[in-house]
Amino acid sequence: LEQALILGEKDPEVHYWHGVCSANLARKFNWKSQYLSEAEQSFLSALRENDRFDKAKLQLGLLYFYGFGTNSKYSILGKRVTIDQEQFRDKAIQLLKEYQNYQPEDSRSYFALAAAFSSKGEKNAARIEMQGLLDMISDLYPDSYQDRDEYQKAWANLQQLK
């Protein structure tokens, strides 16, 4: 992937997968800033090549929330929130909503949006996301929705938000 990028590869998939690899390294190494920046730039490059590359929006939103928005050298367990962290959380919400509009059946966006809203103290918005996920799953799987892991996790999250 590195070599493809050096050679000027324009395929958004290459940038996307480089971003995924860098994001995984960032997470593994306690959100090391070098890997965070590489992941961000790769996802942004993928979106520059194709602004409807939805999975890059999802991953960039997750990176902004979990990597930039909740972890910094100035916070301990996300308790001290800097202005930058708040801005990254807002950007994460924006990207995750865009992704959800195009991929409404992907539960990851609902869970991430609920976490992002909850971290900002917006419990009602978090509850709306979890209820939306429950409704979506029950519509998609009317005969077996209660047995699905995603449904059970969303139900548990909704109960914690009450």
Side-chain angles (χ1 to χ4, degrees):
L1 290 173
E2 291 281 339
Q3 196 65 18
L5 295 175
I6 290 169
L7 295 173
E9 179 61 56
K10 299 285 187 196
D11 184 349
E13 282 285 341
V14 173
H15 292 282
Y16 169 77
W17 285 109
H18 183 264
V20 169
C21 291
S22 296
N24 285 335
L25 286 169
R27 188 179 68 243
K28 180 178 172 90
F29 293 106
N30 199 27
W31 302 105
K32 187 174 179 181
S33 62
Q34 171 194 347
Y35 297 127
L36 280 172
S37 295
E38 286 177 12
E40 178 187 30
Q41 289 310 308
S42 292
F43 293 136
L44 289 172
S45 293
L47 289 168
R48 271 192 297 278
E49 294 300 323
N50 179 352
D51 64 349
R52 285 287 317 273
F53 199 65
D54 296 332
K55 59 187 180 179
K57 283 184 185 178
L58 172 67
Q59 293 300 323
L60 185 57
L62 295 172
L63 183 75
Y64 280 164
F65 177 62
Y66 292 108
F68 289 102
T70 57
N71 294 289
S72 84
K73 59 186 174 183
Y74 304 110
S75 69
I76 298 172
L77 300 176
K79 295 294 183 195
R80 184 170 176 212
V81 178
T82 67
I83 292 170
D84 284 346
Q85 286 174 305
E86 195 67 32
Q87 291 170 341
F88 278 115
R89 289 177 184 181
D90 291 340
K91 188 64 177 171
I93 288 170
Q94 176 190 344
L95 287 164
L96 291 165
K97 282 183 175 182
E98 287 177 24
Y99 176 79
Q100 194 177 66
N101 285 335
Y102 294 114
Q103 302 291 334
E105 295 176 0
D106 188 339
S107 64
R108 295 175 295 180
S109 64
Y110 293 88
F111 286 116
L113 278 166
F117 283 129
S118 185
S119 75
K120 292 172 58 69
E122 298 177 21
K123 301 291 186 194
N124 192 48
R127 283 191 289 272
I128 289 169
E129 290 302 322
M130 286 296 91
Q131 188 60 56
L133 178 56
L134 291 171
D135 294 343
M136 184 266 299
I137 294 170
S138 64
D139 289 344
L140 286 174
Y141 308 99
D143 297 328
S144 63
Y145 66 92
Q146 290 180 324
D147 297 329
R148 301 190 63 82
D149 287 341
E150 295 159 317
Y151 187 91
Q152 293 169 6
K153 289 176 188 174
W155 178 257
N157 286 353
L158 184 60
Q159 299 311 305
Q160 288 179 339
L161 289 166
K162 290 187 176 186

